[in-house]
Amino acid sequence: MTITNETTPGRYLDYGGQYLPELLMPEIQRVAAAYAHYKDDPAFRREFHTLLEEYAGRPSLLYYAKNMTADLGGAQIYLKREDLNHTGAHKINNVIGQALLAKRMGKTRLIAETGAGQHGVATATIAALFGMACEIFMGRLDTERQRLNVYRMELLGAKVHAVTTGSMVLKDAVNAALQDYAARSHDTFYVMGSAVGPHPFPVMVHDFQSVISTESKAQLQTVAGQLPDYVIACVGGGSNAIGSFAAYLEDPTVHLIGCEAAGKGVTTSQTAATMALGSTGIFHGMKSRFLQNADGQIDAVYSISAGLDYPGIGPEHAALMDSGRAQYVPITDDEAVAAFEYIAKQEGIIAAIESCHAVAAVQKLAPTLPKSQIIICTLSGRGDKDVAAIAKYRGIQLSED
Ligand SMILES: *Cc1c(COP(=O)(O)O)cnc(C)c1O
């Protein structure tokens, strides 16, 4: 089953598309044409996979979580360990792919917007590796909240712009990055951090991240000789989830579940539950589901997890939900923090608070299933970055300031 609209590239049902200022359209068409040209080019694919293996450390493990399986007493649980990649998350897969395309297009400069800083760090990492210039746009409030990531990017040789327009957060950083892109597209490539934005970005990110499920499918076949019954991943913009789902989209027996950040709960205004509460709109170059007010203004979103507090979701996920192929469930801060502590104690793994939204869903689902069923849960990243915030959440003071 496919939900791509074959007659209009970049459309997923009615979602997706290219909603950009006139000025940017020619460059986006060049990116789409370049990707169409290189995506099946053997030399491009070889270079991508070589970097995934030799630099990012792939394949990532498919780990049988014996303790969690026994403790929850139902389905067998496997963890897809994207937390073991270089830089500690799945984001590197996508950034390697886009930076390679940028090089093929003759670009010498990478730009990106970042909220929490994780995508900025991944982009700065690959820019350093490839010897490319790198400038990252970040809302000024976010630069103050995420000083450590700002310094990481600077260590990696990137210039970080603190954006002071609007409310000085992610959406303002997107606007600033798009303005820079319009002015300098002759030498610049805009590296998109998730399965969002105008075509061809959602398609590209889907393809580059699909290595997650291509691997997990083969790995599970080797150890269990079967398909999983459930694949579960957290969703912010949706890149680790679409990568986790991609190889199973045509396997109707495999249930696909995305876990979004409910923050303080879907009945509060402090939430990022785009699927539960959002509506169709246009932002960030695409038609998709967004949290927005009646005038179409994008709402401020909240989650304990910086990587999930994006006010929208990638267009392919919006279509997967409408078509019923995938389900999306909201997970609160409380549930995610409890899962963070649970997986640390059960399996000895400190997982990213984003990923723990998926772990929380596994905790609810596994006990309801027979022991013959198999769940694969993607751990999108490692949780070292979250330890201080979790301590604070629990009222534990770790430092003097
Ligand atoms: C950025 C991030 C996410 C959310 O992004 P997606 O595009 O939805 O995958 C999830 N987990 C981690 C560890 C991240 O860094």
Side-chain angles (χ1 to χ4, degrees):
M1 173 192 154
T2 172
I3 49 129
T4 312
N5 182 337
E6 299 294 344
T7 55
T8 321
R11 285 282 179 189
Y12 302 93
L13 302 177
D14 188 38
Y15 300 109
Q18 294 169 314
Y19 297 87
L20 284 171
E22 206 58 44
L23 207 58
L24 274 169
M25 285 307 258
E27 181 60 19
I28 280 293
Q29 303 294 6
R30 277 192 284 275
V31 174
Y35 184 60
H37 176 79
Y38 285 112
K39 81 186 190 63
D40 298 317
D41 174 62
F44 182 84
R45 294 182 59 83
R46 204 177 317 117
E47 198 174 350
F48 176 57
H49 285 283
T50 300
L51 281 162
L52 288 180
E53 285 165 29
E54 295 179 0
Y55 189 71
R58 304 203 71 91
S60 71
L61 297 176
L62 183 72
Y63 167 71
Y64 176 54
K66 184 158 69 43
N67 299 338
M68 274 178 71
T69 299
D71 183 67
L72 295 171
Q76 300 161 57
I77 300 158
Y78 286 83
L79 302 173
K80 183 59 174 160
R81 301 286 310 274
E82 294 301 300
D83 58 313
L84 298 176
N85 296 336
H86 177 49
T87 68
H90 66 291
K91 285 196 171 70
I92 195 91
N93 305 326
N94 167 48
V95 173
I96 288 175
Q98 289 190 47
L100 273 180
L101 185 66
K103 274 213 312 193
R104 290 290 203 282
M105 291 179 74
K107 308 291 185 184
T108 55
R109 179 175 176 261
L110 301 180
I111 61 168
E113 87 282 348
T114 195
Q118 288 154 241
H119 174 55
V121 171
T123 303
T125 299
I126 296 304
L129 180 71
F130 286 1
M132 298 170 89
C134 181
E135 296 188 31
I136 303 294
F137 295 82
M138 195 168 181
R140 204 190 76 200
L141 289 182
D142 290 329
T143 62
E144 287 165 5
R145 286 190 285 235
Q146 305 287 341
R147 288 222 178 89
L148 194 59
N149 273 339
V150 172
Y151 187 60
R152 275 197 186 103
M153 291 182 254
E154 289 169 353
L155 272 178
L156 292 160
K159 178 167 169 40
V160 180
H161 296 277
V163 176
T164 56
T165 51
S167 34
M168 303 191 243
V169 294
L170 179 64
K171 64 181 165 50
D172 312 294
V174 170
N175 291 335
L178 286 173
Q179 267 172 25
D180 177 283
Y181 192 36
R184 281 197 62 172
S185 61
H186 59 278
D187 70 347
T188 296
F189 190 95
Y190 189 145
V191 181
M192 194 64 67
S194 187
V196 299
H199 176 70
F201 289 105
V203 175
M204 262 197 297
V205 177
H206 168 123
D207 292 350
F208 294 141
Q209 291 291 3
S210 67
V211 65
I212 299 172
S213 52
T214 305
E215 284 176 10
S216 75
K217 195 173 196 175
Q219 289 166 319
L220 192 69
Q221 191 60 40
T222 303
V223 295
Q226 65 169 91
L227 286 170
D229 298 285
Y230 290 84
V231 176
I232 302 184
C234 66
V235 285
S239 70
N240 90 87
I242 206 65
S244 302
F245 296 170
Y248 304 107
L249 288 172
E250 316 285 328
D251 297 315
T253 61
V254 182
H255 298 87
L256 307 174
I257 302 179
C259 305
E260 62 175 355
K264 301 259 163 83
V266 293
T267 57
T268 73
S269 60
Q270 286 179 289
T271 182
T274 312
M275 289 306 213
L277 303 173
S279 54
T280 302
I282 290 169
F283 174 64
H284 211 162
M286 62 177 170
K287 187 172 192 182
S288 191
R289 280 179 81 82
F290 300 97
L291 288 171
Q292 54 192 334
N293 68 18
D295 302 329
Q297 291 283 45
I298 295 300
D299 285 338
V301 288
Y302 165 80
S303 158
I304 189 174
S305 140
L308 301 185
D309 75 358
Y310 179 72
I313 188 155
E316 189 171 6
H317 287 291
L320 287 170
M321 182 172 89
D322 283 8
S323 71
R325 179 65 191 92
Q327 274 175 278
Y328 296 84
V329 296
I331 299 291
T332 64
D333 286 358
D334 281 347
E335 291 170 325
V337 170
F340 184 91
E341 294 163 339
Y342 178 77
I343 189 171
K345 294 208 169 67
Q346 287 289 329
E347 297 292 346
I349 297 171
I350 294 184
I353 190 65
E354 290 85 3
S355 320
C356 290
H357 287 69
V359 174
V362 171
Q363 286 181 270
K364 294 186 201 183
L365 177 66
T368 71
L369 299 175
K371 293 188 162 73
S372 57
Q373 300 239 313
I374 293 180
I375 298 174
I376 295 179
C377 173
T378 299
L379 292 189
S380 53
R382 66 173 182 235
D384 311 49
K385 67 183 180 51
D386 300 309
V387 170
I390 302 299
K392 191 167 167 211
Y393 192 83
R394 290 300 189 210
I396 298 163
Q397 179 129 10
L398 293 180
S399 67
E400 294 311 304
D401 49 51

